[in-house]
């Protein structure tokens, strides 16, 4: 199965991406297990976390066949190869750097760049993006997403990221959000695996 096919399968199962910004290597597998137990199948470790590549490697080994693991805040082309070497298959960024997107796509990885405008969205798709992250969602609105959906290809998945809560998902879904990236409302540094699992279950129930 290609990395994109694995991502598509995971996304169809649960279109929520768990963003573990600040997670430590010694706790990441327990948190990953709690997320999977709650129904999550896509997990992101941002590269501005402590020793992120080691965390990605640990998750990729522990959750093989059960969850897709990727990196967030991927800002440089050289980071793409490092993430792949660690076992990460999804390349997520807050921005839409065509070189990073193309580097990920060329390696068969899933590029999920951040966009805020139709111009950025189309440029990201041209560069090889597999899906789009609407970021920061706090600076947009369901009305903005609905307008973008009217011009984007129907099959393109757009995921609001930033400030998303279980209670806040419904208006975004109605406007055409395919899924969400979940940050501090799901995980904050220092939380236990049990706490993350409980929050994850609330998101899955709300979905």
């Amino acid at each position: 199965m290609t990395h994109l096919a694995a991502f598509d399968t995971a996304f169809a199962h649960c279109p929520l991406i768990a963003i573990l910004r600040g997670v430590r290597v010694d706790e990441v597998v327990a948190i990953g297990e709690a997320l999977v137990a709650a129904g999550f199948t896509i997990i992101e470790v941002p590269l501005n976390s402590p020793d992120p590549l080691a965390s990605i490697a640990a998750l990729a080994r522990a959750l093989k066949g059960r969850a897709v693991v990727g990196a967030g805040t991927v800002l440089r082309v050289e980071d793409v190869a490092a993430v792949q070497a660690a076992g990460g298959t999804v390349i997520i960024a807050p921005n839409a750097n065509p070189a990073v997107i193309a580097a990920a796509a060329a390696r068969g990885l899933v590029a999920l760049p951040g966009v805020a405008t139709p111009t950025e969205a189309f440029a990201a798709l041209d560069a090889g993006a597999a899906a789009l992250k609407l970021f920061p969602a706090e600076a947009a609105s369901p009305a903005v997403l609905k307008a973008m959906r009217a011009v984007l290809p129907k099959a393109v998945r757009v995921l609001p990221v930033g400030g998303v809560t279980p209670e806040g998902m419904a208006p975004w879904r109605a406007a055409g959000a395919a899924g969400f990236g979940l940050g501090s409302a799901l995980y904050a540094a220092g939380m236990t695996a049990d706490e993350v699992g409980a929050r994850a279950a609330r998101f899955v129930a709300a979905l």
Side-chain angles (χ1 to χ4, degrees), residues 20-152:
L20 304 182
R21 189 178 308 282
V23 74
R24 300 192 318 271
V25 179
D26 62 334
E27 62 187 355
V28 74
V29 171
I31 290 169
E33 290 286 1
L35 287 164
V36 169
F40 276 66
T41 47
I42 308 172
I43 302 174
E44 163 193 341
V45 178
L47 292 185
N48 55 359
S49 302
D51 208 355
L53 295 175
S55 286
I56 289 167
L59 283 175
R61 281 194 303 271
L63 303 178
K64 188 175 175 63
R66 294 185 291 151
V68 168
V69 179
T73 319
V74 182
L75 304 177
R76 304 178 306 163
V77 169
E78 53 265 37
D79 291 332
V80 175
V83 170
Q84 184 177 34
T89 60
V90 188
I91 302 297
I92 303 171
N95 61 333
N97 181 334
V100 171
I101 298 166
R107 290 174 172 272
L109 304 176
V110 180
L112 218 166
V115 302
T117 66
T119 298
E120 292 172 349
F122 282 107
L125 293 172
D126 285 345
L132 302 174
K133 162 178 161 176
L134 181 61
F135 178 81
E138 298 98 326
S141 68
V144 169
L145 174 60
K146 187 177 180 184
M148 289 176 72
R149 286 256 44 124
V151 294
L152 287 169

